[in-house]
Amino acid sequence: MSYRVNAAAITQARQVIKGTERAARVAQFRTVNRVTKKLRTEASKLIRDQVRLKKEYVDRHLKITKTASLENPSSVITARYRPTRLMRFGGKQLSRQARRAAGDPIRAIAPGRKQAGVSVHVSRQGSRKKMRKAFLLPLNKGNGFGVFVRTGEGRNSVEHLYGPSVNQVFRTSMKDLEPSVRRELQAEFKRQFAFARQQETKR
């Protein structure tokens, strides 16, 4: 009697290992992309919980600029670095009575009243702040109004005021989100790996 020993069983085991490796790689980049989308949604909400910015504005300046792939399982969320116009934080023109004042229809100041500063509401937890020396000016190209203060006596001696950028608040928010991101990655990878491994068995 003779008994032949060959590598057939080993080859089969190698295929199983390769299939497991493929499943892990697929699960990895799918996990990153799923969690990134969820993170962007959560970050947008957390930013708006901290500062009084509209959802449309935050979402427009908080974007997924790189998605994960099989070759590079990493993604990037980019927030706008440029400071936010202070006017976006609920800027309102204040006025006071002045008997002979002509008013200003552009800034919704009625006749018999004159400008008396601007109020803004930056922090979601804080109260509205009155800036008595500030005033509104229309911006170029029909971009609404900006909040300005005078820096000198000349006509152009004014400074446009800004609040925190989306990026500034995003960086602060990420400190609170990092623990949940790690948990989400682990849980999502388990789900994605189980699905990808199941798909590999059908190959």
Side-chain angles (χ1 to χ4, degrees):
M1 174 184 175
S2 60
Y3 184 84
R4 185 181 299 275
V5 178
N6 58 47
I10 297 175
T11 301
Q12 186 177 13
R14 288 174 61 186
Q15 291 300 322
V16 171
I17 292 171
K18 285 183 179 179
T20 302
E21 290 175 348
R22 276 196 302 270
R25 291 180 65 202
V26 169
Q28 190 172 236
F29 90 85
R30 285 178 177 171
T31 294
V32 170
N33 285 334
R34 288 286 291 268
V35 173
T36 299
K37 288 181 180 179
K38 187 172 182 179
L39 172 60
R40 179 186 173 276
T41 300
E42 291 178 352
S44 173
K45 183 178 183 303
L46 200 55
I47 289 170
R48 288 179 281 116
D49 285 344
Q50 294 186 53
V51 293
R52 288 182 175 272
L53 287 174
K54 294 181 178 179
K55 182 179 185 300
E56 178 274 331
Y57 180 82
V58 175
D59 289 348
R60 180 154 44 94
H61 297 295
L62 184 67
K63 298 180 179 179
I64 299 173
T65 52
K66 178 183 178 298
T67 56
S69 64
L70 195 64
E71 295 74 25
N72 186 357
S74 65
S75 65
V76 177
I77 298 176
T78 302
R80 191 187 198 208
Y81 281 82
R82 184 176 177 180
T84 305
R85 295 202 315 253
L86 195 57
M87 185 66 184
R88 290 194 178 276
F89 296 96
K92 291 183 178 180
Q93 177 69 60
L94 302 177
S95 65
R96 61 181 177 83
Q97 287 186 334
R99 289 177 57 188
R100 299 181 181 179
D104 184 352
I106 295 177
R107 291 181 291 174
I109 300 176
R113 301 188 69 85
K114 64 184 295 185
Q115 69 177 28
V118 174
S119 70
V120 294
H121 203 166
V122 178
S123 173
R124 182 69 64 177
Q125 288 74 36
S127 58
R128 181 170 283 274
K129 179 181 178 182
K130 295 179 180 179
M131 307 171 66
R132 293 299 182 185
K133 294 185 178 181
F135 51 91
L136 301 185
L137 284 179
L139 303 176
N140 295 329
K141 300 179 181 179
N143 288 324
F145 289 86
V147 179
F148 290 79
V149 291
R150 189 160 293 285
T151 58
E153 296 182 1
R155 179 182 177 84
N156 296 320
S157 298
V158 294
E159 179 186 356
H160 192 177
L161 302 182
Y162 293 84
S165 67
V166 174
N167 181 67
Q168 283 178 284
V169 190
F170 179 54
R171 289 204 313 268
T172 303
S173 302
M174 280 308 303
K175 294 177 183 178
D176 297 327
L177 289 174
E178 282 177 355
S180 64
V181 170
R182 288 193 291 269
R183 290 194 298 270
E184 284 287 340
L185 285 170
Q186 293 171 6
E188 185 63 31
F189 179 78
K190 290 179 181 179
R191 289 191 289 268
Q192 292 293 339
F193 179 71
F195 178 74
R197 190 71 188 89
Q198 186 181 42
Q199 295 300 108
E200 281 294 329
T201 60
K202 298 178 181 179
R203 291 168 65 94

